[in-house]
Amino acid sequence: MTHPTETPAPSRTAEVRPRRLVVLRHAKSAWPEGVPDLDRPLGPRGLRDAPAAGRSLAETGVLPDLVLCSPARRTRQTWDLAAAELAAAPPVRHDPRLYGADADELLDVLHGVPDETGTLLLVGHNPGLEDLVLLLAADGAGDALDRVRTKFPTSVTAVLTWHGSWPELRPGGAFLTGLVIPRGPKAP
């Protein structure tokens, strides 16, 4: 029992901040002959779809505090085109650990995200991103989780939420709140 002049200790739930992880698979890339994988650019469809991903983020209000992006040319182009659709671009870090990373490696990267980051956007590659979403999501809104299991196409944006710190993020510890596959207008 607390003495009337004492302040009760805050409950565990009062200390826990909601977090949001936005996973963005790079837009459709080109396969030019003789170009190393790291240097592959976006293809025509990717150049149309990447801005649509940014518009989708802006329209839904899913705006990141920080962006972690693979250093591959196609991921950098995807983010640059998406960010151009936002009112203000958040800080971006090009992290070489994201290129070719599997789900466990991506989770290790997430454990090091600064505590002040409430919403993080991760721009990377498959199969790592798809596997990460499936690893983290215990459940999802509507059929979102089933859709991820079926296909995780280019330009897809998955939004996961949980309460806790970045180092506390564990397999099955998040909820898949949304899945959007933005597409830009086709050329006439």
Side-chain angles (χ1 to χ4, degrees):
M1 182 164 159
T2 344
H3 188 277
T5 59
E6 293 179 57
T7 305
S11 71
R12 173 89 175 120
T13 56
E15 299 171 2
V16 180
R17 291 178 45 201
R19 305 288 177 161
R20 200 163 41 176
L21 171 62
V22 183
V23 176
L24 172 60
R25 182 178 174 199
H26 67 76
K28 187 74 172 170
S29 61
W31 294 82
E33 193 172 321
V35 174
D37 185 71
L38 191 65
D39 296 327
R40 285 182 25 233
L42 292 181
R45 190 174 99 199
L47 293 169
R48 291 190 314 263
D49 291 348
R55 285 190 297 277
S56 174
L57 293 171
E59 289 166 5
T60 58
V62 179
L63 304 174
D65 301 313
L66 175 66
V67 176
L68 293 181
C69 184
S70 162
R73 182 176 177 191
R74 60 193 177 276
T75 52
R76 288 182 289 118
Q77 285 182 307
T78 297
W79 175 245
D80 289 346
L81 291 168
E85 301 295 323
L86 305 177
V92 61
R93 294 182 189 160
H94 296 97
D95 190 329
R97 297 175 297 169
L98 303 179
Y99 179 72
D102 65 23
D104 290 328
E105 292 166 324
L106 292 169
L107 184 56
D108 284 344
V109 171
L110 295 175
H111 286 159
V113 170
D115 187 55
E116 64 273 8
T117 305
T119 299
L120 174 76
L121 190 137
L122 186 64
V123 188
H125 312 269
N126 248 12
L129 291 183
E130 177 179 352
D131 293 343
L132 178 68
V133 172
L134 293 173
L135 176 71
L136 294 177
D139 198 4
D143 67 347
L145 202 48
D146 287 334
R147 290 174 55 208
V148 171
R149 288 184 187 113
T150 302
K151 187 171 185 180
F152 201 74
T154 55
S155 301
V156 66
T157 303
V159 180
L160 298 125
T161 59
W162 77 98
H163 287 76
S165 68
W166 292 99
E168 293 171 329
L169 181 58
R170 298 285 177 255
F175 184 79
L176 181 60
T177 61
L179 186 73
V180 177
I181 304 168
R183 294 293 182 232
K186 292 185 179 183

